[in-house]
């Protein structure tokens, strides 16, 4: 048969230009999608070939259809070849040392591995690992990273790529290829919607089949001269314009002299078995040894080394896995060489051999007679079993197709255990599902497998598939009561923790309790979970009853680990409700118990105590609990608690005013937990509060809604109530009284039903402001009375400070200015002591508004605009004039002077935090107070192209798509002033249109934002 010319890239000029353009303008994220055989790989190769140069590194990784549990494998395979682009080891970020165990080829180029691991938690360590990959790629300079066949990727690889796409290194161009229809989540190659970051070029290139002219040109490139139009039209009809199928058909139709037959010859080829027949025709000329090698490669499915192909083919040759002896080529080697020369198999990187495309492999595999196919699978089992370590997933695959059910069950179970042990839970679930789905599985084996499936699923992050499987299994009657009870309990844990479906999870746990009558320890575990009051709509009394039942069951169970688990929940319950003895109870946790299992429960208990202390305002104690949880988790390998502490640290930093970099951390947390949204509610709350403080109304609403404010029974209640208070504030700020009242009523109803009033520290003042704004002082006073009774005797500093705010609002509305001022001053002092700087600044504004109202009532001039400049909660409460009494009871100056001092203090505090909208509101109030106010410090003017603080604020809002009118509203400026600022921003940034303005980076500003006129 005459040889064919190498096919040119036909009909892809526009996609090729687009791809090259994106590759040469990093950072860039390029998605190349299309069906099998459409030419994705050819397009990428054509684009990167001219880019290979000393100053640009090209790295390529492949995802495989059968994968062993090695998360991030495709990326690490690619990174093995990055050494030449790396700087000296001393110049690398120390975090890259975390990759030494994954990339032994680079060990000499990387810093020492961190010791001990920073968190001892797979999620935290995963984030650490992701940062290491990010830093390594950043250090390599200009890099093109290609990940082929993303539809076959493991969850870990998708998570890593999603992390890289969020904030790509400056020199990185990431290219992923995939078949859209084969993605685990249809249409989402990264597992969720990709959102382009500012400054990152993003392209989605969709390859479609060729038209008739494209088919003709491709056939012409293969043959060195184009065929006639009639043949091209018939070829297009039979191949649907898929380039790979076209190539295979053309190759199969050539006669011995390289000539194509008449178009009618295509009619004799069936559809859709065209490619299979083409491959069969190409195989007919092969010798038996070559055919055996090709069939072995088809059965193996994955690219393989020569000794493995020889062993599976049954040909004589060197023993596996030893090398071929010098000077001697085995029959198996001769067969492989012949298959390579014929173009049926291709040599791939790293000495592997396989088919050029999965379609070709499938065509050959389907053509192998059944008995021969099963025999070849058995040979594959024997050959793979000799490897160290044996590839368990592949062994399970071959055992299943060889008809060896016992071996399939053995290898599949071992593979599932190994996958679960290294955290690849989706693969473990997939393997166990396959075993359970086989009708030949003995009935007595189904129960243990179902129980293992439930246990494995309960420790993973992915939940959708596992929930469906467990519900299906529990609907059958083959499970014994005890197995059904534990499986249902695990389903309840899965729904409650990972899925965030608290109501459904609690229903499953309650339904499991009757079946667990013979397992009191397991029943106690379920009751202890139900006893945690932060979830569900039950009142506190019900949670306390469940806790009592759990403690009684432990007397029967005599299980130290379960005893520690229940004790951890009992201590957590006491802390969550602000019980005075909570800290004494916390000291009873068996932190020094010799049992690792017991101390893992202690780590979880400290994690819960950390959350509870945050809700109460005990931030120093929270920090101590967090440190203990991390330490015990590190000692015992308790993974989940340390991760929860890391997530909750976002809320601690939000409350204590450590806002630098907080938005980026919160966004990363949301991205990492996209399948477990319950874990991200604290990050969502942080993002909502930050957006509200900066005047980003739409963003604030989106994130606050996502903090669980509408999920009446499944939301994490302390965070959901804080999110609701933010929504009330947002609606009042925008003048939407009815939505504010609705949000307040919904949240207060939840708080009242639960009965844990210490969690109302932010909600009650916001709800009181909305009620007073609506002219309902009686309802506001009633709510404050309930709040006071609910927190009486509770150890909850935040709640008592919030009570002072609410009392101040009531007093101000009722015309008792002195009382209002004293209440606000007490709240401000409490927030400063906790410390909560943002809340302290808000209290200072409220106090200042009371001084101004007092000045108005006593005849001291004060502008009406001052009252309009206060926060929404202040304006709603309308505090009456009052002579503010300092903490020491002395009088210091007039009401105007003290108000100005308080507002200037609040403005500085807001500006230091980055709360630009709040700072602008205070600056506006200071302008209204007139010339005898304390002078505000002014930032130096930037005359060298650097944005001033005010211009940075304007540029950020322009980048968010705000109009000049909206910017004026957020920053309390006139629209004419904003027009001038926008013009200066465009000039300094050197851009022509608003669409080109990006959010300013720190280096664009001359220094910290300070109050300006």
């Amino acid at each position: 048969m005459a040889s064919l010319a190498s096919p040119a890239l036909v009909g892809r000029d526009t996609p090729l230009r687009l791809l090259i353009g994106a590759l040469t303008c990093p950072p860039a994220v390029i998605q190349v999608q299309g069906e099998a055989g459409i030419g994705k790989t050819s397009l990428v190769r054509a684009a990167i070939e001219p880019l290979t140069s000393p100053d640009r590194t090209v790295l390529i990784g492949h995802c495989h259809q059968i994968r062993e549990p090695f998360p991030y494998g495709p990326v690490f395979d690619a990174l093995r070849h990055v050494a030449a682009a790396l700087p000296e080891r001393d110049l690398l970020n120390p975090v890259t040392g975390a990759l030494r165990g994954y990339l032994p080829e680079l060990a000499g180029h990387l810093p020492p591995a961190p010791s001990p691991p920073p968190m001892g938690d797979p999620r935290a360590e995963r984030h650490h690992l992701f940062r290491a990959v990010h830093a390594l790629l950043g250090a390599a300079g200009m890099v093109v990273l290609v990940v082929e066949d993303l539809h076959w990727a493991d969850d870990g690889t998708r998570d890593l790529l999603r992390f890289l796409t969020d904030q790509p290194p400056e020199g990185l161009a990431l290219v992923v290829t995939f078949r859209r229809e084969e993605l685990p989540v249809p249409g989402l190659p990264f597992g969720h919607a990709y959102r382009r970051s500012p400054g990152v070029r993003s392209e989605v290139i969709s390859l479609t089949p060729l038209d008739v002219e494209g088919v003709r040109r491709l056939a012409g490139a293969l043959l060195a001269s184009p065929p006639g139009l009639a043949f091209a039209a018939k070829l297009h009809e039979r191949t649907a314009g898929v380039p790979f199928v076209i190539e295979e058909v053309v190759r199969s139709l050539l006669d011995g002299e390289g000539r194509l037959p008449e178009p009618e010859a295509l009619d004799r080829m069936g559809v859709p078995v065209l490619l299979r027949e083409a491959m069969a025709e190409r195989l007919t000329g092969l010798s038996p040894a070559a055919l055996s090698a090709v069939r072995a490669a088809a059965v193996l499915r994955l690219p393989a080394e020569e000794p493995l192909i020889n062993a599976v083919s049954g040909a004589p040759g060197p023993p596996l896995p030893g090398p071929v002896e010098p000077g001697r080529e085995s029959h198996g080697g001769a067969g492989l060489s012949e298959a390579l020369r014929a173009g049926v198999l291709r040599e791939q990187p790293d000495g592997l051999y396989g088919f050029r495309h999965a379609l070709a492999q499938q065509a050959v595999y389907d053509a192998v007679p059944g008995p021969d196919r099963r025999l070849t699978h058995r040979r594959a089992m024997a050959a793979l079993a000799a490897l160290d370590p044996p590839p368990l997933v592949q062994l399970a695959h071959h055992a299943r197709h060889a008809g060896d059910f016992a071996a399939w069950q053995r290898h599949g179970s071992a593979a599932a255990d190994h996958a679960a042990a290294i955290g690849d839970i989706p693969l473990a679930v997939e393997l166990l599902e396959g075993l359970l789905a086989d009708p030949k599985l003995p009935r007595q084996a189904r129960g243990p497998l179902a129980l293992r499936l439930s246990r494995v699923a309960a420790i993973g992050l992915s939940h959708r598939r596992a929930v469906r499987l467990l519900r299906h299994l529990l609907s059958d009657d083959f499970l014994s009561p005890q197995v059904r009870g534990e499986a249902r309990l695990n389903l309840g844990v899965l729904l409650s923790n990972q899925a965030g479906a608290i109501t459904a999870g609690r229903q499953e746990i309650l339904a499991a309790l009757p079946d667990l009558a013979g397992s009191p320890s397991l029943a106690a575990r379920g009751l202890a979970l139900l006893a945690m009051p932060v979830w569900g709509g039950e009142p506190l009394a019900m949670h306390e009853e469940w806790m009592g039942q759990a403690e009684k069951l432990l007397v029967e169970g005599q299980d130290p680990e379960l005893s520690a688990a229940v004790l951890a929940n009992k201590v957590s319950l006491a802390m969550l409700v602000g019980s005075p003895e909570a800290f004494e109870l916390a000291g009873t946790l068996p932190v020094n118990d010799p049992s690792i299992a017991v101390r893992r429960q202690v780590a979880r208990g400290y994690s819960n105590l950390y959350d509870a202390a945050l809700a109460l305002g005990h931030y120093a104690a929270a920090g101590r609990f967090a440190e203990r949880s991390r330490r015990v988790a590190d000692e015992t390998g308790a993974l989940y608690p340390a991760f929860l502490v890391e997530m909750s640290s976002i809320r601690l930093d939000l409350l204590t005013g450590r806002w630098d970099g907080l938005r980026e951390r919160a966004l990363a947390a949301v991205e990492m937990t996209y399948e477990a949204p319950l874990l991200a509610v604290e990050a969502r709350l942080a993002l909502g509060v930050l957006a509200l403080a900066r005047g980003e109304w739409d963003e604030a609403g989106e994130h606050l809604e996502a903090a669980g404010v509408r999920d009446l029974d499944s939301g994490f209640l302390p965070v959901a109530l804080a999110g609701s208070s933010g929504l009330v504030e947002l609606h009042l700020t925008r003048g939407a009284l009815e939505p504010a009242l609705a949000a307040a009523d919904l949240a207060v109803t939840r708080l009242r039903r639960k009965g844990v009033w210490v969690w109302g520290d932010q909600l009650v003042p916001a709800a009181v402001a909305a009620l007073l704004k609506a002219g309902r002082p009686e309802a506001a006073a009633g709510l404050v009375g309930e709040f006071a009774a609910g927190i009486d005797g509770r150890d909850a500093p935040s709640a008592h400070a919030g009570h002072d705010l609410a009392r101040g609002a009531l007093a101000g509305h009722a015309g008792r200015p002195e009382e209002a001022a004293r209440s606000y001053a007490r709240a401000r002092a409490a927030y400063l002591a906790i410390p909560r700087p943002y809340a302290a600044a808000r209290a200072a504004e409220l106090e200042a508004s009371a001084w101004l109202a007092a000045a108005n009532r006593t005849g001291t001039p004060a502008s009406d605009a001052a009252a309009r400049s206060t926060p929404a909660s202040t304006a709603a409460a309308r505090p009456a004039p009052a002579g503010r009494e300092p903490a020491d009871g002395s009088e210091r100056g007039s009401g105007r002077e003290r108000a100005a001092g308080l507002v200037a203090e609040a403005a500085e505090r807001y500006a230091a935090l980055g709360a630009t909208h709040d700072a602008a509101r205070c600056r506006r109030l200071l302008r209204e107070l007139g010339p005898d106010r304390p002078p505000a410090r002014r930032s130096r003017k930037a005359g060298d192209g650097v944005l001033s603080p005010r211009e940075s604020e304007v540029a950020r809002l322009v980048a968010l798509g705000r109009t000049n009118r909206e910017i004026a509203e957020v920053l309390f400026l006139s629209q004419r002033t904003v027009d001038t600022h926008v013009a200066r921003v465009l000039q300094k940034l050197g851009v022509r249109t608003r669409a080109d303005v990006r959010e300013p980076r720190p280096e664009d500003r001359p220094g910290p934002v300070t109050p300006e006129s």
Side-chain angles (χ1 to χ4, degrees):
M1 180 180 291
S3 62
L4 294 175
S6 298
L9 198 65
V10 171
R12 306 301 190 203
D13 294 347
T14 299
L16 183 60
R17 283 195 300 270
L18 190 62
L19 180 54
I20 292 176
L23 291 175
T24 53
C25 294
V29 177
I30 307 106
Q31 304 174 42
V32 182
Q33 64 179 8
E35 62 184 284
I38 203 67
K40 302 182 292 295
T41 298
S42 298
L43 177 71
V44 172
R45 295 298 189 275
I48 63 177
E49 185 176 356
L51 300 181
T52 304
S53 63
D55 60 347
R56 179 179 276 107
T57 302
V58 176
L59 306 172
I60 302 176
H62 298 83
C63 306
H64 297 298
Q65 189 171 8
I66 301 180
R67 61 180 179 86
E68 293 299 319
F70 180 53
Y72 328 122
V75 176
F76 288 145
D77 282 345
L79 289 177
R80 290 187 296 116
H81 305 287
V82 77
L86 296 177
E88 294 296 324
R89 181 167 62 177
D90 294 344
L91 300 178
L92 285 174
N93 188 324
V95 75
T96 58
L99 298 173
R100 291 175 70 97
Y102 294 88
L103 298 170
E105 297 88 349
L106 301 184
H109 301 270
L110 297 175
S115 180
M119 296 296 299
D121 169 3
R123 295 173 181 85
E125 289 177 6
R126 176 177 65 176
H127 185 67
H128 190 69
L129 188 67
F130 289 4
R131 288 179 51 225
V133 173
H134 189 285
L136 190 71
L137 288 170
M142 303 290 284
V143 174
V144 176
L145 173 60
V146 180
V147 178
E148 293 264 33
D149 295 323
L150 190 62
H151 49 279
W152 288 330
D154 60 278
D155 284 4
T157 296
R158 284 196 181 83
D159 289 343
L160 174 54
L161 294 177
R162 193 163 56 247
F163 182 86
L164 292 176
T165 60
D166 184 47
Q167 294 290 337
E170 287 296 320
L172 176 65
L174 173 65
V175 184
V176 296
T177 70
F178 57 90
R179 304 176 197 168
R180 182 183 181 89
E181 67 279 3
E182 295 188 28
L183 291 169
V185 181
L188 301 180
F190 300 113
H192 76 133
Y194 166 66
R195 296 177 179 86
R196 181 183 66 86
S197 300
V200 178
R201 180 162 179 175
S202 176
E203 301 289 351
V204 178
I205 300 174
S206 299
L207 298 183
T208 57
L210 301 177
D211 58 15
V212 173
E213 178 57 28
V215 171
R216 181 172 179 268
R217 289 175 55 199
L218 178 56
L222 290 165
L223 299 167
S225 63
L229 288 176
F231 186 90
K234 181 65 71 174
L235 184 60
H236 179 269
E237 176 186 341
R238 293 303 187 190
T239 63
V242 177
F244 175 72
V245 181
I246 294 168
E247 181 179 344
E248 295 301 310
V249 170
V250 169
R251 291 179 186 275
S252 68
L253 290 177
L254 289 173
D255 62 19
E257 298 180 1
R259 294 174 303 187
L260 287 172
E262 295 298 316
E264 290 74 18
L266 289 169
D267 291 329
R268 296 190 293 270
M269 302 186 71
V271 178
V273 296
L274 183 61
L275 179 59
R276 294 174 183 171
E277 292 185 0
M279 288 302 299
E281 186 171 344
R282 294 181 63 185
L283 297 178
T284 54
L286 297 179
S287 67
L291 184 60
S292 295
V294 172
R295 288 179 171 179
V299 167
L300 287 169
R301 298 185 73 176
L302 303 180
E305 295 178 339
E306 178 184 349
L308 181 58
I309 292 177
N310 290 343
V312 176
S313 70
L320 184 75
V324 177
E325 296 176 9
R328 181 178 70 86
E329 186 182 54
S330 68
H331 294 298
L336 178 59
S337 298
E338 181 184 344
L340 292 170
R341 287 193 299 270
V344 179
L345 297 180
R346 300 183 68 182
E347 184 172 3
Q348 301 187 11
D350 301 324
L352 302 179
Y353 303 93
F355 294 88
R356 66 187 302 273
H357 196 280
L359 287 176
Q361 177 270 328
Q362 189 63 47
V364 173
Y365 182 84
D366 291 344
V368 179
D372 293 346
R373 193 162 57 236
R374 287 189 291 275
L375 175 61
T376 309
H377 277 296
R378 285 195 289 272
R379 289 198 192 109
M381 286 174 57
L384 292 170
L387 300 180
D388 186 20
L392 297 172
V393 177
Q394 294 180 57
L395 283 169
H397 167 80
H398 291 297
R400 183 177 188 177
H401 288 83
D404 189 341
F405 183 81
W408 176 39
Q409 188 174 353
R410 183 174 67 255
H411 293 311
S413 296
D417 289 343
H418 179 58
I422 69 168
D424 197 345
I425 304 303
L427 178 58
V429 170
E430 178 182 337
L431 290 164
L432 291 172
E433 177 194 14
L435 289 168
L436 284 163
D438 194 292
K440 293 180 293 184
L441 181 69
R443 186 180 182 87
Q444 64 271 18
R446 296 176 67 79
L449 283 176
L451 190 56
R452 288 171 62 191
L453 174 62
S454 75
R455 291 171 177 170
V456 165
I459 64 173
L461 276 181
S462 301
H463 62 270
R464 293 184 179 89
R465 182 177 188 177
V467 166
R468 288 196 303 270
L469 285 172
L470 287 174
R471 282 182 166 155
H472 175 72
L473 291 171
L474 288 168
S475 67
D476 205 337
D477 61 356
F478 70 89
L479 300 177
S480 68
Q482 184 168 347
V483 169
R484 184 172 60 246
E486 184 176 351
R488 194 179 295 280
L489 175 62
N490 289 331
L491 174 59
V493 172
L494 182 66
L495 288 167
S496 299
N497 291 344
Q498 288 89 327
I502 302 299
T503 302
R506 287 170 174 263
Q507 289 173 350
E508 296 292 348
I509 293 171
L510 287 168
L513 292 177
D515 286 331
L516 294 175
S519 302
S521 295
L522 289 174
R525 174 193 175 199
L527 287 165
L529 189 152
L530 293 171
M532 299 303 290
V534 290
W535 295 293
E538 303 86 0
L540 177 60
M542 179 62 73
H543 295 286
E544 292 172 335
E545 181 180 339
W546 279 326
M547 182 58 70
Q549 292 177 13
E551 289 186 283
K552 290 179 181 178
L553 285 175
L554 283 180
V555 176
E556 303 174 33
Q558 295 297 316
D559 185 323
E561 180 184 0
L562 263 297
S563 297
V566 174
L567 176 60
N569 281 21
K570 178 181 178 180
V571 173
S572 302
L573 173 60
M575 186 68 71
L576 281 165
V577 301
S579 174
E581 65 268 16
F583 283 97
E584 183 179 350
L585 279 174
T588 65
L589 289 174
V591 66
N592 296 318
D593 193 280
S595 167
I596 290 179
V598 168
R599 283 187 287 128
R600 284 176 178 170
Q601 295 299 332
V602 172
R604 184 181 61 82
Y606 281 136
S607 172
N608 289 345
L609 288 171
Y610 177 41
D611 262 338
L614 286 181
L616 300 179
H618 290 300
Y619 301 152
R624 292 193 294 271
F625 289 138
E627 181 56 35
R628 292 172 189 171
S629 182
R630 291 188 182 105
R631 176 174 56 81
V632 179
D634 185 58
E635 292 172 355
T636 62
L639 308 177
Y640 199 58
F643 173 71
L644 293 181
V645 166
E646 183 68 16
M647 297 298 292
S648 295
S649 69
I650 293 173
R651 182 159 52 121
L652 178 62
D653 288 349
L654 173 72
L655 293 168
T656 55
R658 295 191 287 265
W659 287 13
D660 285 345
L662 184 59
R663 181 174 179 271
E664 290 70 25
R665 283 177 55 206
L667 285 171
V670 171
E671 293 296 316
M672 288 179 64
T673 55
Y674 74 100
E675 269 204 4
L678 180 64
L679 298 176
V681 291
E682 290 170 307
R684 289 287 195 176
L685 174 64
L687 291 169
V689 171
L690 294 175
L692 185 59
R694 296 172 69 170
E696 300 164 4
W697 311 135
D698 294 339
E699 291 80 359
E702 175 189 347
H703 290 300
L704 291 170
E705 289 277 0
V709 299
R710 304 292 179 195
D711 196 344
L712 301 184
D713 293 320
S714 292
F716 186 71
L717 195 52
V719 172
L721 294 175
S724 294
S725 72
L727 277 181
V728 174
E729 171 85 20
L730 174 63
H731 292 315
L732 289 177
T733 300
R734 304 181 85 171
L737 180 57
E738 289 305 317
L741 288 170
D745 180 65
L746 180 65
V748 168
T749 299
R750 296 176 70 184
L751 179 61
R752 186 176 286 128
R753 180 176 61 178
K754 180 64 66 174
V756 186
W757 285 94
V758 292
W759 300 340
D761 62 316
Q762 298 177 64
L763 173 64
V764 171
V768 166
L771 289 169
L772 292 176
K773 180 78 172 177
R776 297 168 56 187
E778 296 83 3
L783 176 59
V784 174
E786 285 185 271
F787 187 38
I791 66 174
D792 184 38
R794 300 291 180 176
D795 186 6
S798 287
H800 291 289
H803 181 238
D804 280 325
L805 285 184
R807 288 181 59 194
L810 286 179
H813 190 274
R816 299 192 299 273
E818 293 82 1
E819 182 182 339
R822 284 194 295 268
S823 291
Y824 292 139
R826 284 195 300 271
R828 180 169 62 90
Y831 286 133
L832 288 173
I834 289 177
R836 272 173 62 178
Y838 185 71
R842 279 298 177 94
E845 276 196 273
L846 290 165
E847 197 177 345
S849 70
W851 279 109
L852 292 177
N856 278 341
R857 194 180 71 166
T858 58
T860 305
S863 169
D864 288 340
R868 297 195 302 271
S869 301
T870 55
S873 56
T874 311
R878 300 199 336 266
R884 171 185 166 274
E885 295 184 8
D888 59 2
S890 63
E891 292 290 335
R892 296 197 301 265
S894 70
R896 274 171 53 90
E897 291 171 347
R898 278 183 282 184
L902 286 165
V903 174
E905 173 190 332
E908 261 192 74
R909 208 176 293 280
Y910 286 141
L913 289 169
T916 51
H917 172 67
D918 296 312
R921 182 179 60 245
C922 290
R923 288 196 295 264
R924 206 262 300 256
L925 179 54
L926 288 173
R927 290 195 300 269
E928 296 292 343
L929 287 174
D932 56 343
R933 62 175 172 82
R937 296 183 319 206
R938 301 176 63 89
S939 299
R940 69 177 179 85
K941 298 298 182 182
D944 55 356
V946 178
L947 300 180
S948 71
R950 177 60 56 76
E951 290 164 351
S952 293
E953 296 170 1
V954 170
R956 178 180 58 80
L957 292 168
V958 170
L960 289 172
R962 302 293 186 265
T963 66
N964 285 11
R965 180 178 177 181
E966 292 169 333
I967 296 172
E969 176 187 351
V970 169
L971 297 180
F972 296 94
L973 300 172
S974 70
Q975 187 166 333
R976 178 175 297 180
T977 301
V978 172
D979 294 341
T980 301
H981 282 310
V982 171
R984 288 177 179 170
V985 166
L986 295 177
Q987 180 183 14
K988 287 186 176 183
L989 294 181
V991 297
R992 300 181 61 183
T993 67
R994 300 169 69 96
D996 297 322
V997 176
R998 56 170 172 78
E999 186 170 351
R1001 295 171 294 189
E1003 58 266 29
D1004 296 325
R1005 299 194 301 266
V1009 181
T1010 54
E1012 294 179 332
S1013 297

